[in-house]
PDB file of all heavy atoms in Angstrom:
ATOM      1  N   ARG A 612      14.834 -20.389 -26.174  1.00 87.00           N
ATOM      2  CA  ARG A 612      15.461 -19.103 -25.894  1.00 87.00           C
ATOM      3  C   ARG A 612      15.907 -18.454 -27.177  1.00 87.00           C
ATOM      4  O   ARG A 612      16.562 -19.046 -28.020  1.00 87.00           O
ATOM      5  CB  ARG A 612      16.632 -19.271 -24.922  1.00 87.00           C
ATOM      6  CG  ARG A 612      17.397 -18.039 -24.617  1.00 87.00           C
ATOM      7  CD  ARG A 612      18.464 -18.267 -23.577  1.00 87.00           C
ATOM      8  NE  ARG A 612      19.334 -17.131 -23.474  1.00 87.00           N
ATOM      9  CZ  ARG A 612      20.390 -17.060 -22.624  1.00 87.00           C
ATOM     10  NH1 ARG A 612      20.723 -18.178 -21.915  1.00 87.00           N
ATOM     11  NH2 ARG A 612      21.146 -15.994 -22.526  1.00 87.00           N
ATOM     12  N   ILE A 613      15.607 -17.134 -27.219  1.00 92.00           N
ATOM     13  CA  ILE A 613      16.196 -16.288 -28.348  1.00 92.00           C
ATOM     14  C   ILE A 613      17.637 -15.990 -28.033  1.00 92.00           C
ATOM     15  O   ILE A 613      17.896 -15.428 -26.933  1.00 92.00           O
ATOM     16  CB  ILE A 613      15.387 -14.990 -28.572  1.00 92.00           C
ATOM     17  CG1 ILE A 613      13.973 -15.340 -28.978  1.00 92.00           C
ATOM     18  CG2 ILE A 613      16.038 -14.107 -29.627  1.00 92.00           C
ATOM     19  CD1 ILE A 613      13.082 -14.196 -29.111  1.00 92.00           C
ATOM     20  N   GLU A 614      18.588 -16.268 -28.867  1.00 90.00           N
ATOM     21  CA  GLU A 614      19.993 -16.225 -28.541  1.00 90.00           C
ATOM     22  C   GLU A 614      20.609 -14.804 -28.649  1.00 90.00           C
ATOM     23  O   GLU A 614      21.507 -14.463 -27.938  1.00 90.00           O
ATOM     24  CB  GLU A 614      20.822 -17.188 -29.376  1.00 90.00           C
ATOM     25  CG  GLU A 614      20.425 -18.632 -29.201  1.00 90.00           C
ATOM     26  CD  GLU A 614      20.742 -19.128 -27.799  1.00 90.00           C
ATOM     27  OE1 GLU A 614      21.618 -18.561 -27.136  1.00 90.00           O
ATOM     28  OE2 GLU A 614      20.031 -20.063 -27.333  1.00 90.00           O
ATOM     29  N   SER A 615      20.113 -14.014 -29.607  1.00 92.00           N
ATOM     30  CA  SER A 615      20.730 -12.693 -29.760  1.00 92.00           C
ATOM     31  C   SER A 615      19.623 -11.700 -30.272  1.00 92.00           C
ATOM     32  O   SER A 615      18.616 -12.104 -30.820  1.00 92.00           O
ATOM     33  CB  SER A 615      21.819 -12.762 -30.758  1.00 92.00           C
ATOM     34  OG  SER A 615      21.380 -13.019 -32.088  1.00 92.00           O
ATOM     35  N   HIS A 616      19.930 -10.447 -29.995  1.00 92.00           N
ATOM     36  CA  HIS A 616      18.942  -9.412 -30.355  1.00 92.00           C
ATOM     37  C   HIS A 616      18.752  -9.271 -31.820  1.00 92.00           C
ATOM     38  O   HIS A 616      17.697  -8.824 -32.319  1.00 92.00           O
ATOM     39  CB  HIS A 616      19.304  -8.058 -29.736  1.00 92.00           C
ATOM     40  CG  HIS A 616      20.598  -7.448 -30.364  1.00 92.00           C
ATOM     41  ND1 HIS A 616      20.552  -6.737 -31.502  1.00 92.00           N
ATOM     42  CD2 HIS A 616      21.864  -7.551 -29.957  1.00 92.00           C
ATOM     43  CE1 HIS A 616      21.789  -6.358 -31.797  1.00 92.00           C
ATOM     44  NE2 HIS A 616      22.578  -6.780 -30.865  1.00 92.00           N
ATOM     45  N   ASP A 617      19.735  -9.693 -32.611  1.00 93.00           N
ATOM     46  CA  ASP A 617      19.658  -9.560 -34.113  1.00 93.00           C
ATOM     47  C   ASP A 617      19.274 -10.882 -34.732  1.00 93.00           C
ATOM     48  O   ASP A 617      19.333 -10.994 -35.978  1.00 93.00           O
ATOM     49  CB  ASP A 617      20.888  -8.950 -34.685  1.00 93.00           C
ATOM     50  CG  ASP A 617      22.125  -9.741 -34.368  1.00 93.00           C
ATOM     51  OD1 ASP A 617      22.004 -10.724 -33.596  1.00 93.00           O
ATOM     52  OD2 ASP A 617      23.231  -9.355 -34.801  1.00 93.00           O
ATOM     53  N   GLN A 618      18.934 -11.864 -33.953  1.00 93.00           N
ATOM     54  CA  GLN A 618      18.524 -13.184 -34.522  1.00 93.00           C
ATOM     55  C   GLN A 618      17.267 -12.958 -35.394  1.00 93.00           C
ATOM     56  O   GLN A 618      16.307 -12.340 -35.022  1.00 93.00           O
ATOM     57  CB  GLN A 618      18.142 -14.132 -33.386  1.00 93.00           C
ATOM     58  CG  GLN A 618      17.636 -15.459 -33.871  1.00 93.00           C
ATOM     59  CD  GLN A 618      17.305 -16.373 -32.639  1.00 93.00           C
ATOM     60  OE1 GLN A 618      17.938 -16.308 -31.605  1.00 93.00           O
ATOM     61  NE2 GLN A 618      16.381 -17.307 -32.857  1.00 93.00           N
ATOM     62  N   ARG A 619      17.336 -13.459 -36.583  1.00 94.00           N
ATOM     63  CA  ARG A 619      16.243 -13.280 -37.568  1.00 94.00           C
ATOM     64  C   ARG A 619      15.196 -14.338 -37.349  1.00 94.00           C
ATOM     65  O   ARG A 619      15.450 -15.548 -37.339  1.00 94.00           O
ATOM     66  CB  ARG A 619      16.777 -13.342 -39.004  1.00 94.00           C
ATOM     67  CG  ARG A 619      17.791 -12.229 -39.279  1.00 94.00           C
ATOM     68  CD  ARG A 619      18.198 -12.188 -40.731  1.00 94.00           C
ATOM     69  NE  ARG A 619      17.087 -11.825 -41.630  1.00 94.00           N
ATOM     70  CZ  ARG A 619      16.554 -10.631 -41.781  1.00 94.00           C
ATOM     71  NH1 ARG A 619      17.018  -9.622 -41.066  1.00 94.00           N
ATOM     72  NH2 ARG A 619      15.534 -10.390 -42.586  1.00 94.00           N
ATOM     73  N   ILE A 620      13.974 -13.809 -37.091  1.00 94.00           N
ATOM     74  CA  ILE A 620      12.876 -14.701 -36.734  1.00 94.00           C
ATOM     75  C   ILE A 620      11.866 -14.724 -37.823  1.00 94.00           C
ATOM     76  O   ILE A 620      11.415 -13.671 -38.314  1.00 94.00           O
ATOM     77  CB  ILE A 620      12.228 -14.240 -35.388  1.00 94.00           C
ATOM     78  CG1 ILE A 620      13.229 -14.344 -34.283  1.00 94.00           C
ATOM     79  CG2 ILE A 620      10.929 -15.064 -35.082  1.00 94.00           C
ATOM     80  CD1 ILE A 620      12.756 -13.764 -32.971  1.00 94.00           C
ATOM     81  N   LYS A 621      11.478 -15.935 -38.256  1.00 92.00           N
ATOM     82  CA  LYS A 621      10.548 -16.120 -39.331  1.00 92.00           C
ATOM     83  C   LYS A 621       9.145 -15.870 -38.777  1.00 92.00           C
ATOM     84  O   LYS A 621       8.645 -16.498 -37.836  1.00 92.00           O
ATOM     85  CB  LYS A 621      10.578 -17.567 -39.867  1.00 92.00           C
ATOM     86  CG  LYS A 621       9.676 -17.889 -41.027  1.00 92.00           C
ATOM     87  CD  LYS A 621      10.278 -17.370 -42.326  1.00 92.00           C
ATOM     88  CE  LYS A 621       9.474 -17.966 -43.466  1.00 92.00           C
ATOM     89  NZ  LYS A 621       9.987 -17.459 -44.812  1.00 92.00           N
ATOM     90  N   VAL A 622       8.438 -14.860 -39.333  1.00 91.00           N
ATOM     91  CA  VAL A 622       7.095 -14.488 -38.812  1.00 91.00           C
ATOM     92  C   VAL A 622       6.108 -15.434 -39.482  1.00 91.00           C
ATOM     93  O   VAL A 622       5.807 -15.321 -40.676  1.00 91.00           O
ATOM     94  CB  VAL A 622       6.787 -12.999 -39.233  1.00 91.00           C
ATOM     95  CG1 VAL A 622       5.365 -12.653 -38.771  1.00 91.00           C
ATOM     96  CG2 VAL A 622       7.780 -12.100 -38.602  1.00 91.00           C
ATOM     97  N   GLU A 623       5.649 -16.302 -38.704  1.00 89.00           N
ATOM     98  CA  GLU A 623       4.652 -17.330 -39.135  1.00 89.00           C
ATOM     99  C   GLU A 623       3.375 -17.244 -38.310  1.00 89.00           C
ATOM    100  O   GLU A 623       3.504 -17.056 -37.058  1.00 89.00           O
ATOM    101  CB  GLU A 623       5.250 -18.760 -39.019  1.00 89.00           C
ATOM    102  CG  GLU A 623       6.511 -18.926 -39.939  1.00 89.00           C
ATOM    103  CD  GLU A 623       7.163 -20.261 -39.729  1.00 89.00           C
ATOM    104  OE1 GLU A 623       7.047 -20.795 -38.598  1.00 89.00           O
ATOM    105  OE2 GLU A 623       7.732 -20.792 -40.700  1.00 89.00           O
ATOM    106  N   PRO A 624       2.193 -17.442 -38.896  1.00 87.00           N
ATOM    107  CA  PRO A 624       0.947 -17.422 -38.202  1.00 87.00           C
ATOM    108  C   PRO A 624       0.976 -18.439 -37.034  1.00 87.00           C
ATOM    109  O   PRO A 624       1.294 -19.559 -37.199  1.00 87.00           O
ATOM    110  CB  PRO A 624      -0.095 -17.765 -39.222  1.00 87.00           C
ATOM    111  CG  PRO A 624       0.514 -17.421 -40.496  1.00 87.00           C
ATOM    112  CD  PRO A 624       1.963 -17.669 -40.383  1.00 87.00           C
ATOM    113  N   GLY A 625       0.578 -17.887 -35.814  1.00 87.00           N
ATOM    114  CA  GLY A 625       0.458 -18.807 -34.671  1.00 87.00           C
ATOM    115  C   GLY A 625       1.765 -18.947 -33.896  1.00 87.00           C
ATOM    116  O   GLY A 625       1.761 -19.608 -32.817  1.00 87.00           O
ATOM    117  N   LEU A 626       2.905 -18.334 -34.325  1.00 90.00           N
ATOM    118  CA  LEU A 626       4.140 -18.437 -33.655  1.00 90.00           C
ATOM    119  C   LEU A 626       4.039 -17.735 -32.277  1.00 90.00           C
ATOM    120  O   LEU A 626       3.614 -16.609 -32.176  1.00 90.00           O
ATOM    121  CB  LEU A 626       5.293 -17.820 -34.464  1.00 90.00           C
ATOM    122  CG  LEU A 626       6.660 -17.861 -33.750  1.00 90.00           C
ATOM    123  CD1 LEU A 626       7.177 -19.313 -33.565  1.00 90.00           C
ATOM    124  CD2 LEU A 626       7.656 -17.012 -34.573  1.00 90.00           C
ATOM    125  N   MET A 627       4.461 -18.476 -31.240  1.00 89.00           N
ATOM    126  CA  MET A 627       4.387 -18.007 -29.881  1.00 89.00           C
ATOM    127  C   MET A 627       5.628 -17.144 -29.555  1.00 89.00           C
ATOM    128  O   MET A 627       6.739 -17.651 -29.811  1.00 89.00           O
ATOM    129  CB  MET A 627       4.213 -19.107 -28.880  1.00 89.00           C
ATOM    130  CG  MET A 627       3.871 -18.658 -27.483  1.00 89.00           C
ATOM    131  SD  MET A 627       2.170 -18.212 -27.357  1.00 89.00           S
ATOM    132  CE  MET A 627       2.046 -17.818 -25.606  1.00 89.00           C
ATOM    133  N   LEU A 628       5.454 -15.965 -29.014  1.00 91.00           N
ATOM    134  CA  LEU A 628       6.588 -15.109 -28.672  1.00 91.00           C
ATOM    135  C   LEU A 628       6.469 -14.663 -27.231  1.00 91.00           C
ATOM    136  O   LEU A 628       5.413 -14.288 -26.797  1.00 91.00           O
ATOM    137  CB  LEU A 628       6.582 -13.808 -29.591  1.00 91.00           C
ATOM    138  CG  LEU A 628       7.784 -12.893 -29.468  1.00 91.00           C
ATOM    139  CD1 LEU A 628       9.057 -13.595 -29.904  1.00 91.00           C
ATOM    140  CD2 LEU A 628       7.589 -11.676 -30.326  1.00 91.00           C
ATOM    141  N   TRP A 629       7.546 -14.842 -26.438  1.00 88.00           N
ATOM    142  CA  TRP A 629       7.537 -14.545 -25.001  1.00 88.00           C
ATOM    143  C   TRP A 629       8.549 -13.439 -24.692  1.00 88.00           C
ATOM    144  O   TRP A 629       9.661 -13.404 -25.194  1.00 88.00           O
ATOM    145  CB  TRP A 629       7.927 -15.817 -24.212  1.00 88.00           C
ATOM    146  CG  TRP A 629       7.210 -17.049 -24.538  1.00 88.00           C
ATOM    147  CD1 TRP A 629       7.315 -17.855 -25.616  1.00 88.00           C
ATOM    148  CD2 TRP A 629       6.178 -17.627 -23.706  1.00 88.00           C
ATOM    149  NE1 TRP A 629       6.414 -18.952 -25.468  1.00 88.00           N
ATOM    150  CE2 TRP A 629       5.720 -18.788 -24.326  1.00 88.00           C
ATOM    151  CE3 TRP A 629       5.605 -17.334 -22.464  1.00 88.00           C
ATOM    152  CZ2 TRP A 629       4.716 -19.620 -23.783  1.00 88.00           C
ATOM    153  CZ3 TRP A 629       4.638 -18.110 -21.913  1.00 88.00           C
ATOM    154  CH2 TRP A 629       4.200 -19.257 -22.551  1.00 88.00           C
ATOM    155  N   PHE A 630       8.094 -12.616 -23.761  1.00 90.00           N
ATOM    156  CA  PHE A 630       9.025 -11.572 -23.230  1.00 90.00           C
ATOM    157  C   PHE A 630       8.928 -11.569 -21.721  1.00 90.00           C
ATOM    158  O   PHE A 630       7.977 -11.095 -21.139  1.00 90.00           O
ATOM    159  CB  PHE A 630       8.588 -10.179 -23.754  1.00 90.00           C
ATOM    160  CG  PHE A 630       9.514  -9.042 -23.341  1.00 90.00           C
ATOM    161  CD1 PHE A 630      10.806  -8.960 -23.891  1.00 90.00           C
ATOM    162  CD2 PHE A 630       9.197  -8.083 -22.442  1.00 90.00           C
ATOM    163  CE1 PHE A 630      11.676  -7.884 -23.582  1.00 90.00           C
ATOM    164  CE2 PHE A 630       9.996  -7.036 -22.118  1.00 90.00           C
ATOM    165  CZ  PHE A 630      11.252  -6.955 -22.678  1.00 90.00           C
ATOM    166  N   GLY A 631       9.930 -12.226 -21.121  1.00 81.00           N
ATOM    167  CA  GLY A 631       9.824 -12.520 -19.662  1.00 81.00           C
ATOM    168  C   GLY A 631       8.772 -13.541 -19.399  1.00 81.00           C
ATOM    169  O   GLY A 631       8.341 -14.305 -20.279  1.00 81.00           O
ATOM    170  N   LYS A 632       8.332 -13.578 -18.169  1.00 72.00           N
ATOM    171  CA  LYS A 632       7.279 -14.558 -17.781  1.00 72.00           C
ATOM    172  C   LYS A 632       5.906 -14.065 -17.920  1.00 72.00           C
ATOM    173  O   LYS A 632       4.900 -14.894 -17.920  1.00 72.00           O
ATOM    174  CB  LYS A 632       7.508 -15.012 -16.269  1.00 72.00           C
ATOM    175  CG  LYS A 632       8.855 -15.711 -16.038  1.00 72.00           C
ATOM    176  CD  LYS A 632       8.941 -16.151 -14.626  1.00 72.00           C
ATOM    177  CE  LYS A 632      10.225 -16.955 -14.369  1.00 72.00           C
ATOM    178  NZ  LYS A 632      10.278 -17.420 -12.973  1.00 72.00           N
TER     179      LYS A 632
END
Side-chain angles (χ1 to χ4, degrees):
R612 179 177 169 180
I613 297 176
E614 297 297 334
S615 67
H616 67 84
D617 56 358
Q618 177 180 330
R619 297 187 65 75
I620 296 173
K621 184 80 169 178
V622 178
E623 297 175 331
L626 177 65
M627 192 76 179
L628 186 63
W629 306 76
F630 185 70
K632 293 182 178 180

